[in-house]
Amino acid sequence: MSTRWVLHLCGKLSVGGVQAVLMNYYKYIDKDKIQFAFAVQRDYSYEYDEIIKNMGGRIHYLPDMRYNPREYEKELKKLLGAHPEYQIVQAHFNFKNWKMLQIAKKMGVKNRISHAHAANKKERLTTKIHLGLLARLINYYSTDRFSCSIASGEYLYESDDFILIHNALELDKFVYSNEIRKEYRSKLNLEDNETALCEIGHLNDCKNQLFTVELLSKLDDSYKLFLVGVGDEYKEKLIHRIQDLQLENRVFFLGVRDDVNKLMQAFDLMVFPSKHEGLSVVCMEAQASGLPVITSNQVPTEVAVTDLIDFVSLESSDDWIDIIKKHKYVRRDTHLEMKDAGYDIKKEIKKLENIYLRY
């Protein structure tokens, strides 16, 4: 049997989020039967480039569709024309998926997958009408529909006709270790009596790190905040606000990390005030490591596969503060809970392989 190639249409290949999920699946997929190619919209290197190439994958650079949609369409057509072996195309841009899958259909690609990764509220009537139209276009141009959560699938497709593909993890990497906790707290210069709060994700308005900084300003000096992720423009806003609040000695930027599973052992509580999410990968990682999470009620409740998560409204920072202050550090092994809920990559990869191989 010849190798099945899956072309993933992504924005970028930086560490975290959707990209981390794809790389987890890619690492475990049977590469004698299935290979991945990635078409990304920025012409510079990423953290995953060498890993992909070493596993036999390919990376293609396309123009940024936001700024030059016509050029993007032209180059995607050229790419698909040059690679007739790409008969499975999987789009990861939520409501923009329809356009990419339309192009793929025009180019004769037989199997066109839309993958939902986000959920939000459709409050305004005009928004509901517009997104409803896009949902119909996605359903028309896709042959299959995937979603990371029920909420994401219903949001993007306005139906329950989709396949649930969990944001599965390498659970063994996240099992709690007291030795790693001691090592990493030492690296982060944390004292035993200090509480380490963290927020992990791209630095941007959606992830809402400014909210977390404001919370820290209402807590005493024994609380420190560690921000993992990048985002230059938003980081500047954060720095200015941190300076205004005189928190320079209590907020630490850790940038992009490839040891998040170990960093999580050092932290005491993850704060996640996201304004909207599909099914947060980092919330799953936190639970896998036994790290408690306080998250906004804009995150789908499906994310709570353990009892380690509290959902709180962004309207009341006092409620967030109360939970943080009442929190007492406890760690437990959640490996079996996560596995039973479908988040073990070793088990979930078989489901995905079977889907690709049936084409």
Side-chain angles (χ1 to χ4, degrees):
M1 183 180 70
S2 60
T3 301
R4 304 286 174 88
W5 278 92
V6 183
L7 176 64
H8 291 279
L9 303 177
C10 311
K12 53 188 174 181
L13 284 172
S14 56
V15 173
V18 174
Q19 296 81 14
V21 174
L22 287 177
M23 292 305 295
N24 281 342
Y25 275 104
Y26 189 25
K27 180 177 179 180
Y28 282 89
I29 208 159
D30 186 342
K31 296 172 195 61
D32 290 331
K33 298 177 181 177
I34 300 161
Q35 261 295 353
F36 283 3
F38 300 85
V40 296
Q41 296 189 24
R42 288 168 183 81
D43 192 2
Y44 50 81
S45 62
Y46 291 99
E47 292 85 354
Y48 288 131
D49 284 9
E50 288 305 312
I51 297 173
I52 290 169
K53 292 173 183 176
N54 288 338
M55 290 195 290
R58 301 171 184 167
I59 303 170
H60 304 284
Y61 297 106
L62 300 178
D64 194 319
M65 190 170 68
R66 295 174 301 173
Y67 306 118
N68 201 335
R70 289 184 179 178
E71 191 66 18
Y72 177 87
E73 180 172 354
K74 174 185 173 184
E75 291 301 318
L76 179 55
K77 284 181 177 178
K78 187 185 297 185
L79 172 62
L80 293 173
H83 293 277
E85 69 272 23
Y86 294 163
Q87 286 302 309
I88 306 171
V89 168
Q90 192 164 335
H92 299 275
F93 285 88
N94 293 307
F95 280 105
K96 294 179 181 178
N97 287 353
W98 77 270
K99 184 60 181 177
M100 299 168 183
L101 298 180
Q102 180 196 52
I103 295 167
K105 184 177 182 179
K106 287 181 179 178
M107 295 302 296
V109 176
K110 295 178 181 179
N111 307 290
R112 304 175 301 277
I113 303 168
S114 169
H115 202 140
H117 295 281
N120 202 349
K121 292 182 178 179
K122 303 173 183 177
E123 295 178 344
R124 296 174 58 185
L125 178 59
T126 52
T127 301
K128 290 180 181 179
I129 294 171
H130 177 64
L131 296 185
L133 173 61
L134 296 183
R136 288 192 289 276
L137 288 170
I138 290 170
N139 292 335
Y140 177 77
Y141 287 115
S142 62
T143 57
D144 293 271
R145 288 160 290 282
F146 292 175
S147 181
C148 68
S149 69
I150 293 173
S152 293
E154 292 177 345
Y155 172 68
L156 187 62
Y157 309 124
E158 295 193 347
S159 79
D160 58 4
D161 183 19
F162 54 85
I163 300 169
L164 193 61
I165 303 292
H166 289 111
N167 289 343
L169 306 171
E170 297 178 84
L171 293 179
D172 294 344
K173 288 174 56 176
F174 291 91
V175 174
Y176 177 69
S177 163
N178 197 48
E179 289 72 26
I180 293 176
R181 177 174 172 82
K182 289 179 179 177
E183 175 191 350
Y184 269 71
R185 283 183 73 88
S186 176
K187 288 181 178 181
L188 297 173
N189 297 313
L190 283 164
E191 302 293 339
D192 291 342
N193 63 342
E194 291 180 324
T195 299
L197 307 177
C198 71
E199 185 169 353
I200 302 172
H202 296 296
L203 305 180
N204 59 37
D205 182 67
C206 174
K207 300 301 181 187
N208 203 14
Q209 285 91 351
L210 278 170
F211 182 89
T212 311
V213 169
E214 296 292 340
L215 292 179
L216 185 70
S217 71
K218 300 175 183 178
L219 297 165
D220 66 50
D221 290 351
S222 67
Y223 292 88
K224 292 185 176 180
L225 172 62
F226 296 86
L227 300 174
V228 181
V230 293
D232 293 340
E233 186 175 341
Y234 193 81
K235 184 177 179 180
E236 287 300 313
K237 294 181 182 179
L238 285 169
I239 290 173
H240 289 312
R241 189 58 182 148
I242 289 165
Q243 291 171 343
D244 290 343
L245 295 169
Q246 298 182 334
L247 295 173
E248 294 95 328
N249 295 324
R250 294 173 57 200
V251 182
F252 305 91
F253 293 93
L254 301 184
V256 173
R257 301 290 293 246
D258 60 4
D259 58 349
V260 168
N261 58 313
K262 294 181 178 179
L263 279 171
M264 283 184 170
Q265 315 288 356
F267 302 141
D268 300 299
L269 193 62
M270 189 172 87
V271 183
F272 196 71
S274 182
K275 294 181 179 179
H276 59 85
E277 288 288 327
L279 199 72
S280 168
V281 175
V282 73
C283 283
M284 290 301 170
E285 292 175 341
Q287 290 175 93
S289 71
L291 178 65
V293 180
I294 307 175
T295 186
S296 78
N297 59 3
Q298 300 304 304
V299 175
T301 55
E302 290 173 71
V303 79
V305 297
T306 72
D307 61 1
L308 293 172
I309 294 188
D310 285 299
F311 295 88
V312 189
S313 171
L314 292 171
E315 300 298 320
S316 178
S317 60
D318 288 344
D319 290 344
W320 291 72
I321 294 295
D322 288 344
I323 293 174
I324 292 172
K325 286 182 175 179
K326 290 176 182 176
H327 172 72
K328 294 182 180 179
Y329 178 75
V330 179
R331 215 62 173 250
R332 63 182 175 81
D333 189 343
T334 60
H335 185 273
L336 289 179
E337 292 172 74
M338 298 295 294
K339 187 173 183 178
D340 290 344
Y343 289 90
D344 182 0
I345 190 68
K346 295 176 183 177
K347 181 178 180 181
E348 287 294 288
I349 191 60
K350 298 301 179 184
K351 179 202 296 186
L352 192 61
E353 283 181 354
N354 289 336
I355 293 171
Y356 289 147
L357 291 174
R358 80 182 183 206
Y359 293 140

